[in-house]
Amino acid sequence: MQWERVKEYTDIIYERAEGIARVTINRPEVHNAFRPETVAEMIDAFQHIRDDASTGVVIMRGQGNLAFCSGGDQRVRGHGGYVGGDQIPRLNVLDLQRLIRQLPKPVIAAVAGYAIGGGHVLHVCCDLTIAAENAVFGQTGPKVGSFDAGYGIALLSRLVGQKKAKEIWFLCRQYNAQEALQMGLINAVVPLDRLEEESIQWAKEILEKSPIAIRFLKAAFNADTDGAAGLQQLAGDATMLFYMTDEAKEGKNAFLEKRKPDFGKFGRLP
Ligand code: 2NE
């Protein structure tokens, strides 16, 4: 793969090749913990990916082999949130979680090393997770005085069931890749040196499929779990398709031409 840098950032690397976008958290000195600026850059990259018609699948990963992401950077955790250069306390990773969920393209987490704390929730928010044999999964919130009671609870419970999700949060244990696979937390485990290749293979298999079918399926999974926001996503996709029909165009054209719309010419399907 010839990865092309799409945009230059400080804390992340955003590349693309052959219909695949690759977003890498690039802070290996802190096991790829995120600060507000890291998250702002991720949001910018994912917004670009959303509008980029040439991209169909995203691979998200951490720099190096030791960590996918170790959650919020505890060095910049302040009073009421994580504090960046603008001195505003933020939990902007929650915005990123929603963006990953709402992106009309699958996001694959490629996990080498630790996916811990807020980094664990990020992989939970991704559509698929492929782990290297050295991957370690877990939540640390109650140990470090934090928690993510949104997707960190709702989605995790859907994946592994409430008893296991409570164990993960209440005991803050670490789980290896095989344990994660057994509990339905991830999709596959591969040797570390095959993680990249395997993630690309999964992405390519998705890229062979109908983009609109994949888009609707992702929205439907979200509609099942995300309440009105999930329904809105599915409904928005339905509107997008409806706008492509002659029937919808007749409504718009009639308004602009100041005439009564003739919807009678469109048949009604069973
Ligand atoms: C991940 C873990 C278990 C790895 O342990 P180990 O022993 O392999 O590495 P070590 O030495 O702890 O980490 C290497 C370097 O990375 C830094 C460490 O301080 C260390 O730096 P130096 O001492 O070499 O200078 N580092 C690692 N994680 C960091 C972090 N999150 N913030 C800042 N520096 C970090 C072990 O490193 C670990 O337990 N890390 C902390 C995991 C954690 O508690 N994350 C925050 C959870 S809360 C959260 O993410 C959150 C939320 O709950 C709600 C909303 C938003 C975020």
Side-chain angles (χ1 to χ4, degrees), residues 29-31 33-34 70-75 77 82 91 93-94 114 116-119 140-141 144 146-148 169 174:
E29 67 282 3
V30 283
H31 279 346
F34 53 78
S70 62
D73 187 329
Q74 297 306 296
R75 297 171 308 176
R77 193 173 132 192
Y82 293 84
L91 283 170
V93 73
L94 305 184
Y114 289 101
I116 285 278
T140 62
V144 297
S146 181
F147 58 84
D148 181 334
W169 273 105
Q174 295 180 355

